[in-house]
Amino acid sequence: MAVKRVENFGKPKFKLSEPVSSQIYDFFEDYFPAEIERRMRDLNQTYPLKGLKVEIGRCEITKGQWLLYTTVCLNGQITNGGLVQFFENCPGLVKDALALLQEWADPEFAAAYEKAAKPLLGLIEKHAKKYPDAQGVDLTVFWEEFEIALDSIADEDVSAIETSCYSFDRETNNKNWFNAQDIKVLTFVKENPKDFAKIQ
């Protein structure tokens, strides 16, 4: 199936006066109407051991779609309920989030995430070696082990990430992990509209 992009796209609705994180969400709403967002989610949830990034190479999604979707899922879930909530609600993006942070974030942010996610990353790697395309009932054992691994994540391993996320100066401090990453991602999104929409 070919990449789906927004048809008949007009002008993005973001406002430069808004915080960077708000601009990113505006672009997400512009570039992921229900049909495209559902496709991204289905691709990711059907094959949680593979992650979503592999779909770029298979020409199912674009780099920009992967980047914006993963960023919004990661940042939104952490902002709403913490890093463990992200792991619980987006298990198919655990590997993608690490790739995202290694490529687009402060190295300390990526290292903190990798440490917190280590039990889950190891589990995903173990199962993916045996059966990377597993789906449905073939994932039963994986999900059972995933729940156990979630319980092993220590509070101290997520604290630095959540402290940065909830910092009072998150939106104004360019060295804040989340703000610094958002600035880079937003720049890419603004400069690559063809990754998201059919531009006339």
Side-chain angles (χ1 to χ4, degrees):
M1 184 180 258
V3 171
K4 286 188 177 290
R5 293 178 174 86
V6 177
E7 305 264 1
N8 304 316
F9 186 72
K11 185 178 177 183
K13 66 176 175 233
F14 79 95
K15 297 182 181 66
L16 289 172
S17 59
E18 294 179 330
V20 174
S21 62
S22 297
Q23 293 182 51
I24 285 177
Y25 282 102
D26 286 341
F27 273 108
F28 185 86
E29 290 181 2
D30 283 337
Y31 288 150
F32 289 98
E35 178 187 4
I36 296 176
E37 182 181 4
R38 183 168 52 252
R39 181 150 188 266
M40 298 288 289
R41 187 172 58 250
D42 288 348
L43 281 169
N44 182 237
Q45 291 179 347
T46 302
Y47 304 105
L49 300 178
K50 290 182 3 181
L52 193 56
K53 192 174 184 186
V54 297
E55 303 296 347
I56 300 171
R58 296 178 63 233
C59 298
E60 294 285 341
I61 63 175
T62 67
K63 176 181 178 179
Q65 288 174 327
W66 171 80
L67 177 64
L68 183 56
Y69 184 83
T70 306
T71 297
V72 168
C73 289
L74 176 67
N75 293 3
Q77 290 292 328
I78 296 173
T79 300
N80 185 52
L83 182 58
V84 173
Q85 177 173 297
F86 167 72
F87 294 148
E88 291 172 337
N89 291 343
C90 304
L93 290 177
V94 172
K95 285 193 330 186
D96 293 279
L98 178 59
L100 168 77
L101 297 178
Q102 288 174 332
E103 294 173 33
W104 294 87
D106 184 300
E108 291 183 355
F109 189 1
Y113 176 89
E114 187 169 18
K115 183 179 180 184
K118 186 175 180 180
L120 305 178
L121 291 165
L123 180 64
I124 291 166
E125 182 179 0
K126 179 182 88 170
H127 283 268
K129 278 182 181 177
K130 296 178 184 175
Y131 193 4
D133 294 325
Q135 55 181 304
V137 295
D138 293 329
L139 291 164
T140 301
V141 174
F142 168 73
W143 291 127
E144 290 170 355
E145 293 180 6
F146 189 87
E147 288 298 320
I148 295 168
L150 273 175
D151 290 338
S152 73
I153 296 170
D155 290 343
E156 58 266 25
D157 289 340
V158 305
S159 63
I161 292 171
E162 293 178 354
T163 297
S164 179
C165 182
Y166 306 140
S167 174
F168 73 94
D169 67 348
R170 170 179 168 174
E171 300 288 358
T172 57
N173 180 356
N174 289 351
K175 292 185 178 180
N176 175 279
W177 287 350
F178 285 83
N179 195 38
Q181 175 208 359
D182 283 348
I183 290 168
K184 290 180 183 177
V185 171
L186 182 62
T187 299
F188 181 93
V189 171
K190 286 179 176 177
E191 292 178 353
N192 294 276
K194 289 183 179 178
D195 266 28
F196 306 94
K198 292 186 177 179
I199 307 296
Q200 300 296 326

